Amino acid sequence: MSLLSTRVAVIGGGPAGLAAAEVLADAGIGVDLFDAMPSLGRKFLMAGRGGLNLTHSEPLDVFLARYGARQGELAPLVRAFDPDALCEWAKGLGIETFVGTSGRVFPREMKAAPLLRAWVHRLREHGVVTHARHRWVGWADAGNAGNPEHPESAGNARNGSRLRFATPDGEKTIDAAAVILALGGGSWAKLGSDGAWIPLLTDHGVAIEPLKPSNCGFDVAWSPIFRDKFAGEPVKNVVASCAGGGAAPRRRGEFVISEHGVQGSLIYALSSALRDQLEREGQATLTLDLLPDRSAERVLADVSHPRGARSLSSHLQSRVGITGVKAALLREVLDKDAMLDAGRLARTIKALPLALTATRPVDEAISTAGGVRFDAMDNNFMLNNLPGVFCAGEMLDWEAPTGGYLLTACIASGRATARGVVRWLRS
């Protein structure tokens, strides 16, 4: 079969889908790119609103370790399109990058829109046909495309799966020689990543791990006084860890008090460990060192210093520099008598236990864990139960912290899956 006569459907216009379309087009394959939203890359644009974090400059072995339990599956993909390659790719689109003080890599313009425009323009120049407002709703042949239990449909995926799309002009049926699903996880549903694909695949026996929030906030049972006064307030220069989290790292940074609990980059860095502890034990404890630059011995000496006629608030401010939201956090976990116990106060300053009661909902999370299991696919990322149907990106069962790791793996995954399609078509 001539590759030039083949058209492949890529469903999902986020980074993984765009990357897959690019590799396919470069291989001389005709590509139709579908997205349910009015334009491509909606979540990508939102993620870059505060400065698009493309990738990270740390050593590759350290970078790969950020994928945790899925390092084994993701490492070959990322090594094939590593952070250096990603930066060179962006440069080819006219987007210069720089390394920030944290080691994160950003476009010079600190925006996602210029990169997305250049990317989509190049795809169209290479013959990729885009179809907005096309929501995939399954297969035209009663959803039996390539299902081994229905031999009469087994040839559809190889010789043109009949895909159903809901469009503003009514339902359409489109043939494709192969399909790449790059439909994202379940967060930010209003931007198109809603997990609606799950029943379409589970109906065919595709093994899927339930979607869970990742890089998410957590609920805390704040007192009304604390919530009303400090919601929206940042808590700066602390070290956080997950009590009982085993090998979960200690991280330094800042987070934000929310109406419901806690959120922000420092919380997201520990979210998988905290979420897993909640699932395992029914509760989780976020431990905060409010004074990471002072030893426990010095803090004890400072708070034990006679305060004379000064109030405890003035004493804390003058001796250890604790005021505002940090002082209020101490009062959230210590009663009046405990606050007057210098030893207990000092220990709490260095290890304040914050009880988390639940994760925030999936739709509020930056990303999701769970998705199509890797053992539900072959080495080409084709579903074992659906020949000709491939999966890529965040809809696979993996997660990563923020810092460029999500975007790098999504693009690397899209490229790897497209190479798998090319191999399958040539076979």
Side-chain angles (χ1 to χ4, degrees):
M1 177 170 55
S2 169
L3 288 180
L4 291 174
S5 67
T6 301
R7 291 199 73 79
V8 171
V10 176
I11 306 177
L18 296 172
E22 186 169 42
V23 170
L24 292 170
D26 288 346
I29 297 174
V31 180
D32 287 290
L33 177 61
F34 301 91
D35 196 89
M37 303 304 290
S39 58
L40 303 177
R42 287 292 183 95
K43 186 176 177 183
F44 177 70
L45 290 174
M46 180 63 73
R49 186 174 57 178
L52 180 64
N53 184 191
L54 280 174
T55 189
H56 204 286
S57 63
E58 65 194 2
L60 187 57
D61 288 346
V62 177
F63 187 101
L64 294 174
R66 306 295 187 188
Y67 297 111
R70 291 292 173 265
Q71 180 179 351
E73 291 86 354
L74 292 176
L77 283 60
V78 175
R79 287 186 185 278
F81 195 72
D82 63 18
D84 289 339
L86 194 153
C87 291
E88 282 299 310
W89 166 84
K91 186 176 181 180
L93 290 172
I95 306 297
E96 296 291 336
T97 59
F98 74 96
V99 179
T101 55
S102 64
R104 300 183 180 196
V105 178
F106 300 90
R108 289 283 178 193
E109 294 180 278
M110 292 292 290
K111 296 178 181 178
L115 188 151
L116 181 62
R117 282 197 300 268
W119 197 359
V120 173
H121 176 73
R122 187 165 72 182
L123 289 174
R124 288 171 175 160
E125 280 190 327
H126 290 184
V128 174
V129 180
T130 60
H131 307 267
R133 294 189 174 91
H134 278 60
R135 178 177 293 277
W136 178 58
V137 293
W139 288 274
D141 47 350
N144 293 327
N147 192 328
E149 296 182 4
H150 297 268
E152 73 279 4
S153 70
N156 289 339
R158 185 64 180 86
N159 300 314
S161 294
R162 298 186 61 79
L163 302 163
R164 294 169 49 221
F165 291 90
T167 80
D169 300 321
E171 186 170 299
K172 294 182 179 179
T173 302
I174 295 168
D175 292 332
V179 183
I180 294 179
L181 302 178
L183 294 163
S187 63
W188 297 10
K190 67 180 182 180
L191 301 179
S193 183
D194 58 9
W197 51 268
I198 293 176
L200 298 176
L201 297 186
T202 55
D203 284 350
H204 292 279
V206 177
I208 295 174
E209 289 294 322
L211 296 185
K212 300 181 288 189
S214 182
N215 294 297
C216 60
F218 292 85
D219 289 344
V220 178
W222 299 130
S223 67
I225 293 175
F226 181 89
R227 181 182 62 245
D228 293 345
K229 185 171 183 180
F230 293 103
E233 191 82 11
V235 182
K236 299 184 176 182
N237 191 26
V238 295
V239 168
S241 59
C242 175
R250 288 168 52 86
R251 295 292 178 88
R252 185 169 185 151
E254 64 181 75
F255 65 95
V256 176
I257 303 295
S258 71
E259 179 183 357
H260 302 286
V262 291
Q263 63 185 37
S265 58
L266 185 59
I267 305 302
Y268 303 154
L270 297 171
S271 64
S272 62
L274 292 165
R275 180 200 65 222
D276 291 348
Q277 187 183 22
L278 269 168
E279 290 183 351
R280 187 173 60 248
E281 302 173 17
Q283 60 183 4
T285 301
L286 176 70
T287 303
L288 301 172
D289 183 346
L290 301 180
L291 292 176
D293 295 322
R294 297 195 190 199
S295 68
E297 294 77 14
R298 182 181 170 188
V299 171
L300 177 59
D302 287 337
V303 299
S304 299
H305 192 276
R307 61 186 174 94
R310 287 182 303 179
S311 67
L312 181 58
S313 296
S314 297
H315 183 62
L316 286 173
Q317 182 174 0
S318 64
R319 297 302 303 182
V320 293
I322 285 182
T323 186
V325 66
K326 286 187 177 181
L329 281 169
L330 288 170
R331 291 187 170 88
E332 278 290 288
V333 301
L334 296 176
D335 60 24
K336 185 176 181 181
D337 289 339
M339 287 289 289
L340 296 175
D341 181 333
R344 189 170 176 186
L345 177 60
R347 289 193 298 273
T348 306
I349 289 172
K350 292 298 290 180
L352 185 144
L354 205 56
L356 310 182
T357 59
T359 60
R360 294 300 299 157
V362 165
D363 196 46
E364 292 182 15
I366 291 177
S367 59
T368 49
V372 176
R373 291 172 49 133
F374 281 87
D375 60 9
M377 303 177 292
D378 66 12
N379 292 335
N380 288 327
F381 302 97
M382 183 173 72
L383 293 170
N384 299 326
N385 287 8
L386 292 169
V389 181
F390 300 73
C391 294
E394 195 183 334
M395 67 184 293
L396 304 183
D397 179 22
W398 62 278
E399 64 179 314
T402 58
Y405 311 105
L406 287 164
L407 183 56
T408 299
C410 280
I411 292 176
S413 170
R415 293 176 64 88
T417 301
R419 292 193 297 271
V421 171
V422 172
R423 286 191 294 269
W424 184 73
L425 290 174
R426 284 176 173 161
S427 70

